[in-house]
Amino acid sequence: MAEQMTNEEILNAEKERVKQLVAKDQLNADKIDSIYQQAMTVASATTKVFFDKYQQDGQLSLSDVSQSPTQWDIEQYQKAINQMMATASVTSDLRKQLNVLYQQALLTRRSLLGSLLGSAVVIATANVKELGHKVIKSDYQEGYNHFGGGS
């Protein structure tokens, strides 16, 4: 015969469960921060490469950033996107968004840099969305098991 838990034991067990859930939420928040930070790191490094190439006396001129992107510019852009996409799951929505941003990138160097930042956010958001789906599925299963549905 199973031993009955006292109210105090039940309360302590639930307090411990809440602590575990809060710790799990913090871990997920840290993962989300890391996803966005990684994307911004790539975008920042690539922006610095552009700045270093085109700056004069520590500034970019309006005429420089208003020019059409060169083949080198496009290659740097694509390299950065590929680096950010290394950990992303490609969906049709993500592909559409990146195609729009790529077309924008072809207009001027300024639009290319804006597109690079937009792409970083879009890719990071897709990664966060994927993580969110995994967390929801896992949380549902854990909750189901905790409340006796999986016994």
Side-chain angles (χ1 to χ4, degrees):
M1 183 170 174
E3 195 177 299
Q4 291 283 329
M5 291 179 71
T6 66
N7 284 343
E8 186 175 340
E9 291 170 328
I10 292 170
L11 182 61
N12 288 336
E14 286 305 308
K15 284 181 181 179
E16 184 59 32
R17 176 165 161 67
V18 168
K19 284 182 190 177
Q20 291 171 354
L21 292 172
V22 168
K24 185 177 178 184
D25 283 348
Q26 184 59 53
L27 181 64
N28 288 330
D30 292 346
K31 287 178 185 177
I32 290 168
D33 287 346
S34 176
I35 288 169
Y36 281 108
Q37 186 60 46
Q38 288 172 357
M40 290 300 113
T41 297
V42 172
S44 176
T46 304
T47 300
K48 183 175 179 349
V49 168
F50 281 100
F51 182 81
D52 289 346
K53 180 170 175 98
Y54 295 113
Q55 65 89 22
Q56 295 174 9
D57 300 323
Q59 296 183 356
L60 292 176
S61 72
L62 183 57
S63 65
D64 278 339
V65 296
S66 297
Q67 292 179 17
S68 295
T70 65
Q71 184 63 35
W72 181 87
D73 298 334
I74 299 296
E75 288 170 3
Q76 297 306 305
Y77 173 86
Q78 289 173 330
K79 182 177 160 184
I81 299 302
N82 290 338
Q83 189 176 353
M84 288 184 270
M85 288 295 293
T87 58
S89 293
V90 180
T91 64
S92 62
D93 284 343
L94 178 57
R95 190 182 324 271
K96 287 176 191 174
Q97 290 172 322
L98 290 176
N99 283 336
V100 168
L101 288 163
Y102 178 74
Q103 293 305 312
Q104 176 187 341
L106 299 176
L107 300 174
T108 64
R109 288 178 182 151
R110 180 176 45 206
S111 62
L112 183 136
L113 292 173
S115 177
L116 176 66
L117 295 174
S119 295
V121 171
V122 166
I123 292 166
T125 301
N127 287 338
V128 168
K129 184 178 176 182
E130 183 179 345
L131 173 65
H133 287 290
K134 288 177 184 176
V135 168
I136 288 170
K137 185 176 179 180
S138 172
D139 286 354
Y140 174 80
Q141 188 61 49
E142 286 176 21
Y144 184 74
N145 291 340
H146 177 74
F147 290 109
S151 302

